[in-house]
Amino acid sequence: MQHSRGFSLIETLIATTLMAGALVSLAQFVGAAAQSGAAARTRALAALMASQKMEQIRVVPWNAVASVPAPVTEFLDASGHQRCPNANVPCGDAVFVSKWSATHAQFSTGVLIIEVDVRPVGQGHGSATLVSARGRMTP
């Protein structure tokens, strides 16, 4: 009785097909993870830039903030530095667009509702919006 060694052509084709299917599935997961990671990074940067802008607004006197026409639009680079000053459209190195406004609260004219929204320029994912209330100090 003779024993054959190795695999038949059909066994090899089935194994190759299964391996190819597994690799395609794995590649899809890696691609989705990379895209999700990029969106999370963009969202974290947007949240940091929104927080920085909110802190900048907090040190400005109340009357100065209340008199700014809403909304104020600024274009930022990847590090959060302002680009394209006084522009209506982003310039070449603008990565984020920041919009902020301060409106009087409906329940009191002595309270400002400050909203800061930072999002990527274009169709990117990962925006951040912060809202805060600021009261006028009275003597």
Side-chain angles (χ1 to χ4, degrees):
M1 183 161 157
Q2 201 175 26
H3 293 288
S4 62
R5 294 184 163 203
F7 298 104
S8 71
L9 182 58
I10 293 176
E11 291 171 331
T12 305
L13 287 174
I14 291 172
T16 304
T17 303
L18 290 174
M19 285 296 283
L23 290 176
V24 167
S25 297
L26 181 63
Q28 288 176 340
F29 284 125
V30 170
Q35 188 177 21
S36 178
R41 182 182 189 298
T42 302
R43 193 171 24 262
L45 283 172
L48 176 65
M49 290 176 195
S51 177
Q52 289 173 340
K53 181 47 107 177
M54 188 66 80
E55 291 301 319
Q56 290 173 357
I57 294 169
R58 287 181 195 202
V59 299
V60 175
W62 192 92
N63 289 331
V65 174
S67 64
V68 171
V72 176
T73 302
E74 299 171 335
F75 297 100
L76 310 171
D77 65 10
S79 300
H81 299 103
Q82 188 173 354
R83 295 290 182 245
C84 328
N86 303 319
N88 294 328
V89 295
C91 56
D93 59 347
V95 179
F96 291 93
V97 58
S98 170
K99 293 184 181 184
W100 69 272
S101 62
T103 56
H104 292 279
Q106 293 179 347
F107 56 86
S108 173
T109 58
V111 175
L112 291 175
I113 305 298
I114 301 168
E115 182 175 344
V116 178
D117 181 69
V118 178
R119 59 188 59 243
V121 171
Q123 299 297 325
H125 297 287
S127 64
T129 302
L130 299 179
V131 179
S132 181
R134 180 174 175 190
R136 179 177 18 201
M137 301 283 284
T138 56

